[in-house]
């Protein structure tokens, strides 16, 4: 619900469990007042008394200086010297923006953001949107702030639209929003960072003075930092305390972080990275920012994650596969790498079929001259030496086994050694006169161009039109460098990265609409583009190229801070593991992968009978328990980053089934007794575990006994409410 109280001048945005409020000061300035646990009383009009005048900063709002005010949308050039949401250069060279409150509107439901993915409302959802317009009279510029309130999801989304009715101007920063917290005595910032094969490790630091930011300026959300931050009280744990999350619905360069002012107010911000971004706005044009999802919980970090999980799996991801059980697949990549032919793929599929796998995915190497990563990328024509019947013929053979067929593409890229590049050398992201750097021998196609988007869409579309493909793995294996486009003039070169994203989203939107029965999975050398933008089109992502089970526990744990397990592609691979050389038992590898979107990435023909039995049971368990892992509530009980045993608990939405995943990292002979305290149970109910009955309160206050005395003794426990 959204209200504006004319007397107190307070806007209040309420979800079932949270409130977010800001006041209108002197009918001009939007001042942030509150975000947190739901308020039962209205904020009184004396809220203005909280803001006393502070010396040594411009008094740009009468007796107030914006430098010390908690602002809803800060603008560059006035009194606020912190990181600002908006900054622009106008036709006269001036850089000052002063847009004050003009009016507001409350809209039922949620408008789309043109050209960009965004959280959506479905019929029957309790969702309303507040649009507040700020107006800079001198520049004839409007800044419209959008807040959509998803009551049942306890989430709020924010985005911004800039409308220019004045002379030509250049935007050089337009963040999607910031929240100025009146922080607890001590607060922390949490972010997810890493690199290739080590994505989304959790970093938690105290918010000290100054600015802490994470960013990507490489054109994709990246392995290095994920477009997510959380701010929490320093004593917030996984299960209790205040946690405030920010998730960005965007797959390109971004910035997010916190800045503390001299009086202790924390500004948390998120948006397109101003570095490598500029946007020229002519008279009559507008620019819309991507959206932020705000998630607050007073049930700790797991509570904050549960809000994100519910929103992302139900109102970010779209299409047929959002709600239905997906595939249990086998992918040939780690079994064959580029060394493929029809016979090998069919043999891998046949064995997989025997243990209950339903989908065979053919990875890289099936097209053009692609027998390694040096050539052929961009030439999306089957290699008939390897696949005599082409993709159509192979798909028929796989279908003939009673299985679905899936196919790998990397449509956004090109090898210089390819027919496509030879025909269109100007189709790549590049800067005139500079040698374009290569990563994995490849260059990025310039999707800021319409003709390139059309090529990509047709290349993928033609294959999908002609063969029975049920699943597409959409890979993307490099970041951008030497950014520029052959088609844009000097004035617009700063727009390339964002235009690329608009192009990509349009291609993905068209293809997913044209092929609604195909499940698209995103991949970017593993999890290099794992974000809420990509998840709108592809409900799952190949979580990481690191398939080692021990490492994966950490990667999946960090990923779950914002993204649900239903979005994580998790495969069992061969040992010694190809990335780290470690050998772990087969059942351990299965237990780590089962909670995600499960599959195998090895040749099952090379497994022992005992391993095949475990493999078969894992497929059965995945099918039986998938609904709870993918739609239930997650409680992270113990972290792999600071404990020898990592524990995740999943509870079905009806609260009747509880799954507890226990993964030891290192074990000790004659280990001390451990009790794993569960959370979120009905404390008055009884639960059955392995034929024994336990009280809910006993399981939460004393816990389940576990002895970490044997290497890799993993378990998935099933408890049922009596
Ligand atoms: C990178 C992906 O992350 C891998 O899973 C695999 O598909 C390779 N690309 C193929 O080149």
């Amino acid at each position: 619900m959204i209200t504006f109280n004319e007397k107190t001048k307070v806007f209040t945005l309420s979800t079932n469990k949270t409130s977010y409020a800001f006041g209108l000061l002197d009918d001009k300035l939007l001042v942030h007042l509150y975000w947190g646990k739901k308020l039962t009383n209205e904020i009184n009009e004396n809220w203005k008394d909280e803001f006393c005048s502070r010396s040594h900063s411009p008094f740009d709002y009468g007796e107030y200086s914006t430098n010390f005010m908690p602002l809803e949308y800060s603008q560059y050039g006035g009194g606020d010297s912190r990181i600002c949401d908006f900054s622009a250069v106008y036709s006269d060279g001036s850089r000052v923006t002063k847009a004050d409150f003009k009016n507001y509107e409350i809209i039922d439901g949620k408008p789309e953001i043109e050209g960009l993915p965004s959280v959506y409302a479905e019929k029957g959802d309790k969702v309303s949107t507040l649009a507040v317009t700020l107006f800079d009279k001198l520049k004839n510029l409007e800044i419209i702030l959008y807040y959509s309130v998803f009551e049942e999801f306890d989430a709020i989304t924010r985005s911004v639209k800039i409308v220019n009715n004045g002379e030509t101007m250049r935007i050089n920063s337009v963040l999607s929003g910031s929240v100025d917290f009146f922080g607890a005595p001590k607060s922390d910032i949490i972010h997810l960072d890493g690199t290739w094969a080590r994505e989304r490790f959790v970093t938690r630091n105290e918010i000290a003075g100054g600015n802490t930011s994470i960013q990507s300026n490489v054109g994709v959300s990246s392995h290095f930092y994920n477009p997510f931050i959380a701010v929490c009280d320093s004593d917030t744990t996984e299960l209790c305390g205040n946690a405030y999350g920010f998730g960005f619905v965007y797959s390109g360069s971004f910035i997010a972080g916190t800045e503390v002012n001299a009086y202790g107010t924390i500004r948390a911000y998120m948006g397109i990275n101003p570095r490598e971004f500029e946007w020229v706005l002519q008279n009559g044009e507008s620019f819309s920012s991507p959206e932020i999802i705000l998630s607050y919980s007073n049930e700790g970090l797991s509570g904050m994650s549960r809000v994100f999980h519910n929103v992302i799996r139900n109102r970010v991801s779209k299409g047929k596969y959002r709600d239905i059980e997906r595939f249990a697949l086998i992918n040939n990549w780690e079994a064959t790498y580029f060394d493929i032919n029809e016979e090998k793929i069919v043999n891998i599929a046949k064995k997989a079929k025997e243990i209950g796998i339903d989908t065979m995915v053919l990875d890289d190497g099936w097209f053009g001259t692609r027998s390694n990563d040096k050539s052929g990328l961009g030439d999306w024509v089957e290699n008939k030496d390897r696949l005599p019947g082409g993709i159509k013929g192979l798909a028929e053979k796989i279908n003939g086994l009673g299985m679905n067929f899936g196919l790998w593409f990397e449509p956004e890229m090109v090898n210089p050694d390819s027919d496509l590049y030879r025909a269109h050398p100007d189709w790549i992201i590049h800067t005139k006169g500079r040698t374009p750097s290569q990563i994995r021998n490849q260059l990025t196609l310039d999707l800021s161009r319409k003709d390139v988007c059309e090529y990509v869409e047709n290349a993928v579309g033609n294959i999908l039109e002609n063969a029975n493909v049920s699943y597409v793995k959409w890979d993307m294996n490099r970041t951008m460098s030497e950014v520029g486009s052959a088609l844009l003039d000097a004035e617009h070169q700063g727009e390339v990265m964002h235009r690329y994203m608009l192009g990509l989203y349009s291609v993905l939107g068209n293809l997913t609409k044209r092929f609604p029965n195909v499940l698209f999975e995103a991949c970017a050398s593993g999890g290099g583009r794992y974000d809420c933008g990509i998840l709108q089109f592809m409900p799952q992502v190949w979580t990481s190229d690191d398939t080692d089970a021990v490492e994966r526990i950490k990667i999946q744990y960090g990923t779950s801070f914002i993204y649900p397990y239903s979005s994580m592609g998790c495969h069992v691979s061969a040992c010694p593991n190809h990335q780290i050389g470690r050998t772990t038992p087969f059942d351990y590898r299965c237990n780590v992968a089962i909670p995600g979107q499960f599959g195998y990435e090895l040749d099952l023909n090379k497994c022992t009978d005992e391993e095949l039995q475990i493999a078969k049971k894992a497929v059965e368990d995945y099918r039986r328990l998938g609904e709870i892992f993918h739609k239930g509530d997650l409680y992270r009980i113990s972290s792999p980053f600071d404990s020898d045993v990592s524990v995740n608990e999943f509870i079905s939405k009806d609260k009747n089934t509880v799954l507890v995943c226990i993964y030891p990292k290192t074990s000790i002979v004659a280990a001390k007794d451990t009790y794993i305290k569960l959370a979120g149970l009905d404390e008055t109910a009884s639960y059955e575990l392995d034929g024994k009955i336990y009280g809910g309160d006993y399981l939460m206050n004393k816990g389940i006994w576990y002895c970490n005395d044997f290497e890799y003794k993993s378990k998935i426990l099933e408890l049922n409410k009596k």
Side-chain angles (χ1 to χ4, degrees):
M1 192 163 76
I2 299 169
T3 56
F4 179 64
N5 184 322
E6 288 289 350
K7 189 161 162 257
T8 61
K9 304 278 182 196
V10 173
F11 289 94
T12 307
L13 286 57
S14 316
T15 71
N16 286 353
K17 292 189 194 157
T18 74
S19 300
Y20 182 109
F22 50 94
L24 178 58
L25 191 67
D26 293 346
D27 287 330
K28 280 187 182 160
L29 190 63
L30 295 180
V31 181
H32 182 76
L33 295 178
Y34 183 81
W35 182 25
K37 188 169 180 222
K38 189 161 186 156
L39 300 174
T40 45
N41 297 308
E42 282 204 45
I43 294 175
N44 197 284
E45 66 193 312
N46 54 21
W47 60 265
K48 294 178 191 111
D49 302 345
E50 289 173 24
F51 307 111
C52 54
S53 84
R54 310 274 197 188
S55 62
H56 285 85
S57 259
F59 286 80
D60 47 345
Y61 279 81
E63 60 184 299
Y64 305 105
S65 165
T66 48
N67 214 15
F68 305 112
M69 307 289 286
L71 303 176
E72 275 302 302
Y73 201 71
S74 57
Q75 302 147 42
Y76 182 79
D80 190 0
S81 64
R82 292 167 286 178
I83 285 181
C84 279
D85 293 308
F86 182 78
S87 109
V89 183
Y90 297 93
S91 54
D92 57 1
S94 68
R95 285 147 199 277
V96 182
T97 303
K98 276 208 168 182
D100 291 332
F101 176 80
K102 182 180 172 192
N103 56 35
Y104 75 92
E105 188 187 359
I106 296 171
I107 309 157
D108 244 6
K110 164 107 195 295
E112 283 186 3
I113 306 178
E114 210 193 321
L116 288 169
S118 57
V119 186
Y120 57 91
E122 288 207 332
K123 209 168 163 219
D125 286 355
K126 283 195 188 156
V127 176
S128 49
T129 300
L130 169 66
V132 187
T133 302
L134 313 178
F135 182 56
D136 186 326
K137 205 167 150 198
L138 186 68
K139 298 297 171 191
N140 216 344
L141 181 83
E142 282 183 353
I143 300 177
I144 309 173
L145 310 182
Y146 291 98
Y147 300 79
S148 293
V149 180
F150 288 74
E151 294 184 34
E152 297 112 320
F153 288 92
D154 282 312
I156 294 173
T157 60
R158 285 189 63 176
S159 69
V160 178
K161 185 172 178 178
I162 310 298
V163 184
N164 181 21
N165 290 311
E167 289 175 15
T168 303
M169 59 176 287
R170 180 188 296 268
I171 303 173
N172 48 28
S173 173
V174 54
L175 300 187
S176 300
S178 52
V179 180
D180 286 354
F181 289 88
F182 302 95
K186 275 190 173 180
S187 302
D188 291 346
I189 178 171
I190 297 174
H191 55 81
L192 308 172
D193 47 72
T195 184
W196 171 77
R198 179 166 49 79
E199 298 93 335
R200 293 173 298 284
F201 275 26
V202 179
T203 298
R204 178 171 178 164
N205 289 319
E206 185 181 333
I207 300 177
N211 178 25
T212 307
S213 69
I214 58 158
Q215 61 166 338
S216 157
N217 53 24
V218 291
V220 298
S221 44
S222 93
H223 292 97
F224 311 125
Y225 294 104
N226 194 265
F228 156 84
I229 55 166
V231 172
C232 62
D233 299 345
S234 58
D235 56 1
T236 293
T237 64
E238 275 293 348
L239 302 176
C240 5
N242 292 311
Y244 305 83
F246 297 71
F248 203 26
V249 190
Y250 192 61
S251 315
S253 297
F254 72 93
I255 191 161
T258 52
E259 181 172 356
V260 185
N261 76 1
Y263 294 88
T265 299
I266 298 166
R267 170 165 295 172
Y269 53 88
M270 180 172 261
I272 294 180
N273 195 339
R275 211 161 134 197
E276 284 288 353
F277 171 83
E278 280 179 347
W279 201 269
V280 177
L281 220 50
Q282 313 276 0
N283 176 287
E285 288 183 345
S286 64
F287 179 89
S288 292
S289 81
E291 184 167 79
I292 310 175
I293 305 172
L294 300 180
S295 153
Y296 163 78
S297 173
N298 63 351
E299 293 173 31
L301 297 166
S302 287
M304 170 204 73
S305 302
R306 288 193 292 276
V307 171
F308 278 125
H309 295 173
N310 284 328
V311 174
I312 291 170
R313 63 191 165 199
N314 296 304
R315 294 295 180 268
V316 170
S317 291
K318 284 186 170 172
K320 161 175 163 180
Y321 292 96
R322 186 190 76 176
D323 298 327
I324 62 172
E325 187 186 305
R326 298 184 206 151
F327 306 140
L329 61 83
I330 186 148
N331 176 304
N332 68 291
W333 179 243
E334 286 203 18
T336 62
Y337 293 103
F338 288 101
D339 189 13
I340 57 150
N341 60 41
E342 191 176 278
E343 197 191 343
K344 279 190 193 178
I345 299 302
V346 172
N347 281 341
I348 290 175
K350 274 186 185 155
K351 198 69 187 172
K353 171 72 184 166
E354 283 174 22
I355 62 149
I357 289 290
D358 54 52
T359 304
M360 172 75 227
V361 179
L362 171 60
D363 212 279
D364 201 349
W366 56 267
F367 52 91
T369 55
R370 184 83 168 169
S371 52
N372 53 44
D373 63 14
K374 294 192 173 52
S375 73
L377 201 54
D379 301 338
W380 298 106
V381 179
E382 303 97 319
N383 177 336
K384 288 277 171 92
D385 293 338
R386 298 177 151 209
L387 307 175
I391 287 297
K392 188 166 189 287
L394 178 59
E396 280 165 3
K397 286 204 166 148
I398 299 297
N399 292 161
L401 299 173
M403 297 175 85
N404 305 305
F405 178 68
L407 192 59
W408 179 96
F409 288 91
E410 193 179 356
E412 299 163 65
M413 299 287 155
V414 65
N415 282 127
D417 184 2
S418 67
D419 292 342
L420 180 67
Y421 184 74
R422 282 184 282 274
H424 299 287
D426 63 331
W427 274 17
I428 57 154
I429 297 272
H430 69 289
T431 293
K432 222 172 157 189
R434 306 261 174 216
T435 307
S437 310
Q438 296 181 23
I439 299 180
R440 211 189 183 214
N441 312 302
Q442 64 195 54
L443 303 163
T444 308
L445 286 172
D446 180 1
L447 296 195
S448 75
R449 297 171 60 140
K450 267 214 159 75
D451 49 356
V452 179
C453 288
E454 269 166 28
Y455 170 81
V456 166
E457 207 174 305
N458 288 334
V460 178
N462 289 344
I463 303 267
L464 300 187
E465 205 70 72
N466 289 320
N468 189 20
V469 178
S470 305
Y471 163 107
V472 164
K473 178 176 175 187
W474 183 291
D475 206 350
M476 193 285 301
N477 287 305
R478 67 158 292 171
T479 51
M480 292 181 198
S481 59
E482 295 89 24
V483 175
S485 170
L487 282 198
L488 293 174
D489 60 22
E491 281 282 281
H492 293 84
Q493 286 294 333
E495 300 174 4
V496 176
M497 280 190 177
H498 184 62
R499 284 182 184 271
Y500 180 98
M501 290 320 309
L502 297 175
L504 174 67
Y505 289 143
S506 141
V507 169
L508 291 177
N510 293 342
L511 283 171
T512 48
K513 269 192 208 107
R514 192 165 143 203
F515 300 101
N517 293 323
V518 176
L519 169 63
F520 286 79
E521 176 175 276
C523 174
S525 299
R529 196 167 59 185
Y530 203 141
D531 53 68
C532 296
I534 220 72
L535 283 167
Q536 178 123 94
F537 307 95
M538 318 201 215
Q540 60 191 65
V541 182
W542 176 229
T543 314
S544 175
D545 274 351
D546 186 353
T547 56
D548 169 63
V550 175
E551 293 291 295
R552 267 301 185 110
I553 295 166
K554 287 194 218 149
I555 293 170
Q556 292 169 196
Y557 178 91
T559 304
S560 80
F561 266 61
I562 163 162
Y563 308 108
Y565 267 81
S566 59
S567 70
M568 298 182 208
C570 300
H571 300 172
V572 174
S573 63
C575 278
N577 174 268
H578 294 194
Q579 291 79 39
I580 203 168
R582 187 181 352 241
T583 295
T584 50
F586 205 91
D587 68 321
Y588 184 85
R589 280 175 266 159
C590 289
N591 283 344
V592 172
I594 283 174
Q597 295 294 342
F598 182 79
Y600 290 102
E601 191 140 338
L602 45 73
D603 188 349
L604 290 162
N605 292 297
K606 296 184 179 154
C607 290
T608 63
D609 285 348
E610 193 194 338
E611 285 173 337
L612 286 173
Q613 268 178 24
I614 299 169
K616 188 163 185 248
K617 178 165 182 303
V619 176
E620 288 160 9
D621 285 348
Y622 164 69
R623 291 234 169 81
R624 194 166 50 83
L625 306 174
E627 172 94 5
I628 300 157
F629 286 127
H630 299 163
K631 296 187 180 166
D633 287 328
L634 170 69
Y635 293 79
R636 287 181 297 263
I637 303 293
S638 158
S639 162
F641 291 98
D642 46 43
S643 152
D644 284 341
V645 183
S646 157
V647 182
N648 283 330
E649 179 192 328
F650 297 82
I651 306 186
S652 61
K653 285 284 179 200
D654 64 8
K655 303 252 177 236
N656 286 339
T657 313
V658 182
L659 303 176
V660 184
C661 303
I662 306 172
Y663 308 118
K665 200 169 54 181
T666 44
S667 307
I668 305 154
V669 176
K672 291 182 186 166
D673 286 331
T674 316
Y675 284 87
I676 296 169
K677 289 183 186 169
L678 302 189
L681 306 185
D682 177 349
E683 55 182 6
T684 60
S686 297
Y687 293 81
E688 185 187 327
L689 168 63
D690 294 335
K692 294 178 190 137
I693 306 293
Y694 299 88
D697 47 3
Y698 185 85
L699 290 167
M700 290 197 289
N701 294 308
K702 179 157 188 193
I704 299 172
W705 177 78
Y706 174 78
C707 188
N708 183 20
D709 59 356
F710 205 83
E711 200 75 333
Y712 302 127
K713 197 171 73 177
S714 69
K715 285 176 188 296
I716 297 182
L717 304 177
E718 288 178 54
L719 292 90
N720 289 299
K721 196 169 169 183
K722 293 311 293 167

